[in-house]
Amino acid sequence: MKKSLISMALLLASTGVFAGDQSDSNYPENPILRPLTLNDGTIAVSGAISWGEEKDKSRGELNLNAAYGLTDDLTIGFAGLDYRVLARNNNRTGLELAVGVGLRGFQESTSNGDAIGYGADLNGKYVFNQDIAMTFSLGHVIWDEEHLANKSENRFSVGVQSKVAKNWTAFTNYTYRDLKGFTQDKAHSVHSGLNYTLSKNIDVGMYASYDNFEAKENGYDLKNNFERSLGLYLTYRF
């Protein structure tokens, strides 16, 4: 789940931000107005450095993320595909919806074998004005276990993006996981951060996360999970 949270931070910072010369004019610099998918021909590349702890162990980690806009409504990335089914007029106020399919998590276990999570979700964003927006997501994940019986879960997320000062945008997201076949029957995570729009092509930011998914109790190694973490990220648009 830790990798999913870090990917979420990179996505919040970089979704659609990488606009080439042809799409710069119609791609919002303001993160609150940015669409859920990348513009046609747009490339997004992000990197994050995080430090976290799980139980009594702590460590650092580097994560990378990239995506490409095949059309204005269809984006392909490391985690899978996202297709926008409802767009906001000229990326202004209103409701936007997208569906996604792909990789939703990875867990390692030296005793029980690895597990890969595949899923589908409906993602939404409602922009009230240029200073505040709400995000939400409903998803289902199937965990393909190497040796154990396959598991599944339903995920429900809600979040807020808010402008706090010139070029500064705060974001927070809460996720509830309804777990099926795990030792736990539910888990919660909170992810918050602050994004600074350095230029039309560059975002930098920081984030903090909390996740109460018990990796060891559910049969997985600790190295793919953080209970608490802090991180810095950089997004470059071209």
Side-chain angles (χ1 to χ4, degrees):
M1 185 60 182
K2 171 208 61 177
K3 293 184 183 298
S4 299
L5 287 172
I6 293 173
S7 296
M8 186 184 302
L10 298 177
L11 184 63
L12 287 170
S14 65
T15 299
V17 273
F18 293 81
D21 293 339
Q22 295 181 347
S23 54
D24 259 1
S25 60
N26 32 0
Y27 193 84
E29 183 174 350
N30 182 353
I32 292 172
L33 298 177
R34 292 173 186 167
L36 295 172
T37 53
L38 301 175
N39 284 6
D40 184 12
T42 291
I43 298 174
V45 182
S46 301
I49 299 175
S50 59
W51 183 265
E53 62 179 35
E54 174 75 11
K55 302 298 184 182
D56 295 328
K57 296 183 178 181
S58 59
R59 65 190 181 280
E61 187 170 88
L62 171 66
N63 285 269
L64 300 174
N65 197 27
Y68 176 73
L70 295 171
T71 70
D72 285 349
D73 297 320
L74 182 61
T75 294
I76 185 170
F78 286 166
L81 290 169
D82 290 288
Y83 180 71
R84 182 170 59 178
V85 295
L86 179 63
R88 288 173 287 121
N89 186 28
N90 294 321
N91 291 323
R92 305 307 295 176
T93 58
L95 178 65
E96 181 177 358
L97 296 172
V99 292
V101 293
L103 182 65
R104 295 295 180 262
F106 177 73
Q107 297 284 354
E108 293 180 84
S109 174
T110 54
S111 57
N112 297 322
D114 298 339
I116 301 176
Y118 302 99
D121 39 55
L122 171 67
N123 302 295
K125 182 174 187 176
Y126 191 90
V127 178
F128 296 96
N129 54 55
Q130 63 181 2
D131 295 329
I132 189 167
M134 181 184 74
T135 59
F136 59 90
S137 178
L138 309 172
H140 182 71
V141 179
I142 297 175
W143 287 91
D144 183 10
E145 299 276 355
E146 187 174 358
H147 298 309
L148 301 177
N150 289 347
K151 303 176 178 66
S152 66
E153 63 174 283
N154 297 310
R155 294 180 181 177
F156 309 92
S157 299
V158 62
V160 174
Q161 293 175 292
S162 177
K163 181 179 179 180
V164 293
K166 182 180 179 180
N167 297 332
W168 288 96
T169 303
F171 58 87
T172 189
N173 187 82
Y174 166 77
T175 299
Y176 173 80
R177 302 172 65 189
D178 179 26
L179 304 172
K180 309 294 184 182
F182 294 83
T183 301
Q184 287 177 275
D185 60 0
K186 60 184 177 181
H188 309 268
S189 63
V190 179
H191 191 87
S192 299
L194 194 60
N195 184 84
Y196 181 72
T197 305
L198 188 63
S199 71
K200 192 169 179 64
N201 291 58
I202 300 174
D203 284 324
V204 294
M206 61 189 76
Y207 59 89
S209 298
Y210 170 77
D211 189 343
N212 75 342
F213 179 75
E214 298 287 350
K216 190 173 183 179
E217 284 75 0
N218 285 287
Y220 304 118
D221 297 343
L222 297 180
K223 61 182 178 180
N224 288 109
N225 297 271
F226 284 146
E227 181 181 9
R228 292 175 293 273
S229 64
L230 297 171
L232 301 172
Y233 65 80
L234 169 68
T235 298
Y236 175 63
R237 313 174 262 289
F238 64 95

